[in-house]
Amino acid sequence: MSLLRTRTPRAFPEIPDEEIPEQFVVRQGGTLLGVGIILTLVFGGACLQAAAESGFQRLDMLGACILCVLAGIVVLAKYKNHRLEVDGQALRYTDLFGRHTTFQVSDIASVRRDISENPKLLSENGRVLARCDRSMTGFPLLIAYLKKHRVSADLI
């Protein structure tokens, strides 16, 4: 018996072509905002308080505080920035750091899943055009959009 279980990707509802809007945004959901706030304020604050009570003698608590706050900031940045905007044939991807990449649906050669089952939109030469999470809002619309435009994919 294998220790690695093969998960079947969640099936998304079929959306008829005429119901797919010309403009939509695939973005992070509110859960990520909650996680970022908890990491930054709750865990970061608790670690800072514990470090202050010990007179900053325990560097491990101060280090934990810094890691929690940094992790929270990264999660909040991902919530704010990470998105894929679809406007007809044009797509605009914004990564975690706010960098933008604009491309056409015709530039997408294929869609592949990474190890965590999340899709990557790839160009003809294998360059990653965009990365999405299956938990993003608007993801089912993206799947329908890619099917409508006959993009080759191993997940749809």
Side-chain angles (χ1 to χ4, degrees), residues 27-95:
R27 64 175 45 245
Q28 295 294 334
T31 304
L32 206 61
L33 175 62
V35 170
I37 289 171
I38 289 171
L39 277 171
T40 306
L41 299 179
V42 177
F43 290 130
C47 290
L48 184 62
Q49 180 183 4
E53 286 175 359
S54 70
F56 295 103
Q57 297 299 317
R58 294 192 56 202
L59 292 179
D60 58 340
M61 288 305 292
L62 188 58
C65 169
I66 291 169
L67 284 176
C68 285
V69 170
L70 289 176
I73 290 170
V74 168
V75 170
L76 290 172
K78 184 169 183 170
Y79 171 77
K80 180 184 177 291
N81 294 332
H82 190 213
R83 67 183 165 278
L84 179 65
E85 301 169 55
V86 177
D87 186 7
Q89 297 285 318
L91 292 94
R92 183 176 189 213
Y93 173 67
T94 307
D95 68 7

Side-chain angles (χ1 to χ4, degrees), residues 61-138:
M61 288 305 292
L62 188 58
C65 169
I66 291 169
L67 284 176
C68 285
V69 170
L70 289 176
I73 290 170
V74 168
V75 170
L76 290 172
K78 184 169 183 170
Y79 171 77
K80 180 184 177 291
N81 294 332
H82 190 213
R83 67 183 165 278
L84 179 65
E85 301 169 55
V86 177
D87 186 7
Q89 297 285 318
L91 292 94
R92 183 176 189 213
Y93 173 67
T94 307
D95 68 7
L96 164 74
F97 303 106
R99 292 183 300 229
H100 304 289
T101 304
T102 303
F103 55 95
Q104 300 294 314
V105 69
S106 58
D107 296 336
I108 305 171
S110 66
V111 180
R112 298 284 182 248
R113 288 181 283 192
D114 62 14
I115 195 153
S116 60
E117 301 291 322
N118 291 320
K120 297 183 292 188
L121 307 179
L122 302 172
S123 68
E124 189 68 38
N125 62 3
R127 184 175 67 94
V128 176
L129 298 170
R131 297 177 190 274
C132 296
D133 298 337
R134 298 176 70 78
S135 62
M136 294 173 92
T137 60

Side-chain angles (χ1 to χ4, degrees), residues 9-28:
R10 178 176 63 166
F12 291 99
E14 290 291 323
I15 301 172
D17 286 353
E18 60 274 0
E19 291 182 21
I20 301 170
E22 285 295 308
Q23 296 178 328
F24 63 93
V25 178
V26 181
R27 64 175 45 245
Q28 295 294 334

